[in-house]
Amino acid sequence: MFGNILTGKNGEAADDAITKALAALRSHMGMEVAYISEVAEGRVILRHVDAPGFEHLVQVGNSYPLDSSYCQHVLDGRLPELIRDTADHPIAQSLPITHVLPIRANMSVPLRHYDGEPFGMFCCLSPHPNKSLNERDLQVMRVFADMAANQISRSINVQREIDQKRFSIEKIIHGDDYKFLYQPIWNFRSSRPVGFEALCRFTAEPYRTPDLWFHDAAEVGCGARLEMAAIGKALNALHALPEDTFLSINASPETIMSDAFQKLFIDQPNHRLVVEVTEHALVDDYTKLRRAIDELRAKGIRLAIDDAGAGYSSLQHILHLNPDIIKLDMALTRSVDIDPARRALASALIFFGHETGCVIVAEGIETQAELDTLRVLGVPRGQGYFLGRPMALPDVLRLTDSSSQMLK
């Protein structure tokens, strides 16, 4: 249950704290061996061990049948938690483990979950009798056991949450519990949509926004797999869209750098594809990401930086990745008509785009006044609820077929 849960930086710290506690307790008791065990599937499994000089006999991963261990007898009350000399206890003498290790002095305190259910033991033992052990030593042992049990129980709860998230994500990936809507990207000069951004929507219960699903997937190591499954499905719409429009898909840097991502674009009309790098994802190695993007460009795919102006990461992406398209975040476009600060920052990015040859796309346009202001500032393209909400593919086709769909 808890053999592999103490992972990562926090887990390593917890693991180290438990090992140090074992060493301190063993030394305090004057014993040679201390360990924490887990009871699972009828066996006692050693999970944490401090046994200098006895490593050949007591190691992490060692396991023993539950009915032949001290653990079950202590839990059932047939053996006391404190044994100064196993020679004085016939049941202890009858257990093969007593003579294999060997064990002459033993202290075993149950580890319990918050609900009181035992899940393992905190143990100290010695190959020599120890008549000096007393009830005060046992109380100290119980304090250490409670501390270890609390730490392990918290880790178990964290692992259960991770397992549940992973199960939900795997179910989505294999069950196809998501769909795509497509939001039009308008060319302000021609007053017609020139592209569509594919936006994933999850149908799994309970309803959650896409960012939460993708966050959970990344947290449990399934982020790239979920993105790949979703992007593969989004690409199906490309062949249904008019040939003079493009499809824009979102991908994290991690996914873009994977070999599997590159393979998605074999036999695709890549000149009609735009990959948007999500702004909030941090990049540890821009050189590696740039190589992956160069491979995409060699296939004819264009690069867009999403949410520009929303934070520091987007500016780093722009400077390091030389995008073809810069998408102004809705934090800039919202109220741009009445907010001088937003206009100034938007104007700076627009000027940067003109200087570097990037196409500027304004996101989140929700009013006529915002649209008019952005046009005056020199923005050539945009999207937002005012121009068109995300829609199903049949509605997209009706929109592109209709010559009456014009901007005001």
Side-chain angles (χ1 to χ4, degrees):
M1 183 182 296
F2 61 88
N4 296 315
I5 62 177
L6 299 176
T7 57
K9 291 183 178 179
N10 293 335
E12 290 170 3
D15 197 19
D16 185 57
I18 290 174
T19 300
K20 288 180 178 178
L22 283 174
L25 185 63
R26 180 191 58 74
S27 178
H28 174 78
M29 298 298 179
M31 310 282 261
E32 283 75 12
V33 176
Y35 64 83
I36 288 176
S37 66
E38 173 192 7
V39 176
E41 298 181 356
R43 298 187 70 82
V44 176
I45 307 167
L46 305 191
R47 295 305 192 187
H48 301 270
V49 173
D50 182 73
F54 289 83
E55 294 90 349
H56 61 295
L57 293 175
V58 185
Q59 301 176 9
V60 172
N62 285 1
S63 68
Y64 311 93
L66 180 59
D67 56 7
S68 67
S69 71
Y70 280 50
C71 178
Q72 190 63 57
H73 293 287
V74 171
L75 290 173
D76 292 341
R78 291 187 293 271
L79 283 176
E81 293 181 353
L82 169 59
I83 300 176
R84 299 178 182 87
D85 189 349
T86 58
D88 298 331
H89 297 269
I91 291 178
Q93 285 296 300
S94 70
L95 298 175
I97 195 172
T98 299
H99 309 285
V100 171
L101 286 179
I103 303 173
R104 288 297 299 273
N106 185 78
M107 299 178 71
S108 297
V109 176
L111 298 173
R112 300 181 184 276
H113 290 299
Y114 298 117
D115 60 4
E117 186 70 20
F119 64 87
M121 300 293 284
F122 198 113
C123 303
C124 279
L125 60 89
S126 173
H128 312 289
N130 190 338
K131 297 296 185 179
S132 69
L133 296 174
N134 54 45
E135 286 298 317
R136 184 176 179 180
D137 295 323
L138 188 59
Q139 287 301 321
V140 172
M141 183 89 163
R142 286 170 177 157
V143 170
F144 273 80
D146 285 344
M147 292 169 58
N150 288 337
Q151 179 63 59
I152 293 170
S153 291
R154 284 196 296 269
S155 298
I156 288 173
N157 289 336
V158 169
Q159 185 63 39
R160 284 173 176 167
E161 291 179 6
I162 291 174
D163 290 343
Q164 181 58 49
K165 288 180 181 179
R166 183 177 290 110
F167 175 79
S168 298
I169 297 300
E170 292 287 353
K171 186 177 179 183
I172 286 173
I173 292 173
H174 296 292
D176 203 28
D177 291 335
Y178 53 91
K179 63 181 181 180
F180 274 89
L181 299 178
Y182 303 87
Q183 187 170 34
I185 299 170
W186 291 80
N187 182 314
F188 295 158
R189 289 185 177 180
S190 64
S191 298
R192 61 181 301 276
V194 292
F196 295 87
E197 180 179 359
L199 299 170
C200 191
R201 297 292 183 262
F202 292 89
T203 57
E205 296 292 339
Y207 171 77
R208 303 174 71 211
T209 56
D211 60 310
L212 294 179
W213 283 114
F214 283 113
H215 177 272
D216 283 357
E219 194 175 61
V220 299
C222 297
R225 289 182 56 225
L226 180 59
E227 282 190 57
M228 291 286 293
I231 291 169
K233 187 171 185 178
L235 289 175
N236 292 333
L238 184 57
H239 299 280
L241 295 174
E243 293 185 1
D244 59 349
T245 62
F246 64 85
L247 179 68
S248 188
I249 57 176
N250 293 273
S252 67
E254 177 191 5
T255 298
I256 291 173
M257 289 186 288
S258 67
D259 292 336
F261 185 74
Q262 299 285 340
K263 295 177 182 177
L264 285 175
F265 306 106
I266 297 174
D267 298 327
Q268 295 283 357
N270 292 323
H271 65 285
R272 296 176 53 211
L273 279 170
V274 172
V275 172
E276 296 188 21
V277 180
T278 50
E279 183 274 332
H280 300 288
L282 297 178
V283 176
D284 295 325
D285 188 345
Y286 271 107
T287 301
K288 182 178 179 181
L289 179 57
R290 183 62 183 264
R291 283 199 298 266
I293 289 172
D294 287 344
E295 289 186 44
L296 294 175
R297 284 201 169 106
K299 295 180 174 71
I301 298 170
R302 287 174 290 168
L303 174 72
I305 301 301
D306 197 15
D307 303 332
Y312 177 75
S313 295
S314 64
L315 297 179
Q316 289 295 302
H317 292 349
I318 290 170
L319 293 175
H320 286 283
L321 301 179
N322 188 28
D324 304 287
I325 299 169
I326 296 176
K327 303 189 74 174
L328 301 185
D329 184 70
M330 64 176 60
L332 291 182
T333 59
R334 185 169 298 155
S335 302
V336 68
D337 55 308
I338 59 175
D339 189 331
R342 284 183 168 85
R343 278 200 304 277
L345 185 52
S347 296
L349 287 171
I350 293 165
F351 177 77
F352 178 89
H354 290 161
E355 288 292 298
T356 58
C358 296
V359 175
I360 302 296
V361 176
E363 297 182 292
I365 300 172
E366 296 186 352
T367 69
Q368 181 70 52
E370 290 172 353
L371 173 60
D372 292 341
T373 301
L374 291 166
R375 278 172 154 169
V376 170
L377 291 176
V379 175
R381 297 180 181 182
Q383 64 188 99
Y385 280 6
F386 180 72
L387 302 175
R389 289 176 175 269
M391 60 190 72
L393 187 57
D395 295 323
V396 168
L397 300 181
R398 281 192 288 271
L399 173 63
T400 56
D401 286 343
S402 175
S403 59
S404 63
Q405 296 294 331
M406 307 290 286
L407 291 178
K408 293 180 181 179

